[in-house]
Amino acid sequence: MTAPIRVLVCDDQALIRTGFATIIDAQPDLEVVGECWDGRGAVDLAGRLRPDVVVMDVRMPVLDGIEATRLLAGAGVAHPVKVLVVTTFNLDEYVYEALRAGASGFLLKDAPPAQLLHGIRTVASGAALLAPEVTRQLVGRYAARIRPADRTPGDSGLTPRELEVLRLIANGLSNSEIAATLVISHETVKTYVSRILTKLDLRDRVQAVVYAYRRGLVT
């Protein structure tokens, strides 16, 4: 039997925290290994328990969820933990900053239980939670507020074709849509995506989208 996915739940509202834990523990392939009410507790518990996924609130005392995410999954973390941010804030700076901090995806707190469970399993598998169409909505609508750090992509190390694929990813196209647009095979697209993530030292498509917007590759 495959070991269950180990989940740490962090939310400052006891009712929500208990509700999440109950929903998660009812699944045969998921297991809640700990609960906490603030970001500092999440960082400490994650260090001791080594969960597969941390379900993280944004607004919490002591240390907010964004900073906790940065400490758990941000750049330079030796043993990053996958973080699923669950928030009441939709398409604002909290979501964007959480993704920049290293979160693998996000959900809203009013999402149905099935979406929470799907999100945990998706993040645990190493994939980004955001589907291409959701990525398009999230980052596309927020793009006006993102200040590109550098509008010259020449130092990225990507080939012209890889830059083209990156732009299409940032515009929310799926691998199949990219293949159709560039008239190449689906497997070739997967190869390009893998090369892009490796060259830019990015974990997933979400980080690739953020990178593209920060570098001014898409507007």
Side-chain angles (χ1 to χ4, degrees):
M1 294 181 62
T2 303
I5 298 169
R6 294 161 49 81
V7 183
L8 173 63
V9 178
C10 186
D11 196 293
D12 65 334
Q13 298 182 54
L15 186 60
I16 291 178
R17 193 168 63 244
T18 301
F20 283 173
T22 301
I23 293 168
I24 295 166
D25 264 338
Q27 304 301 306
D29 61 330
L30 304 177
E31 175 189 8
V32 174
V33 296
E35 300 177 32
C36 54
W37 65 280
D38 68 89
R40 174 53 60 188
V43 174
D44 293 342
L45 276 180
R48 297 203 306 268
L49 301 175
R50 302 306 303 169
D52 299 305
V53 177
V54 177
V55 175
M56 183 81 76
D57 189 17
V58 172
R59 283 188 170 176
M60 295 181 293
V62 184
L63 187 71
D64 67 41
I66 293 173
E67 287 305 315
T69 297
R70 188 171 286 112
L71 292 173
L72 290 171
V77 175
H79 302 288
V81 180
K82 297 180 178 67
V83 177
L84 171 61
V85 171
V86 183
T87 176
T88 56
F89 304 98
N90 186 17
L91 297 174
D92 66 6
E93 65 272 15
Y94 290 102
V95 176
Y96 174 67
E97 290 300 332
L99 296 177
R100 285 191 63 201
S104 293
F106 83 102
L107 285 174
L108 296 179
K109 283 187 177 178
D110 60 0
Q115 285 190 21
L116 172 65
L117 299 173
H118 172 71
I120 292 170
R121 294 180 179 115
T122 300
V123 170
S125 73
L129 175 62
L130 303 181
E133 59 272 17
V134 178
T135 303
R136 182 188 299 121
Q137 181 187 27
L138 170 65
V139 186
R141 286 178 58 178
Y142 189 64
R145 298 196 212 172
I146 301 175
R147 286 176 182 246
D150 182 357
R151 288 191 174 274
T152 57
D155 62 348
S156 67
L158 301 181
T159 66
R161 179 63 108 179
E162 288 165 350
L163 282 170
E164 189 174 13
V165 171
L166 177 57
R167 289 188 178 97
L168 294 176
I169 292 172
N171 281 314
L173 273 67
S174 67
N175 284 359
S176 297
E177 291 170 332
I178 293 172
T181 299
L182 300 180
V183 195
I184 56 179
S185 71
H186 188 271
E187 289 302 315
T188 300
V189 174
K190 290 176 63 177
T191 299
Y192 277 126
V193 173
S194 178
R195 286 178 184 170
I196 290 166
L197 297 182
T198 299
K199 285 185 176 182
L200 300 180
D201 193 25
L202 304 174
R203 185 183 56 246
D204 52 39
R205 294 173 77 102
V206 174
Q207 290 192 348
V209 172
V210 172
Y211 176 93
Y213 275 91
R214 288 289 292 170
R215 290 303 180 98
L217 298 177
V218 285
T219 57

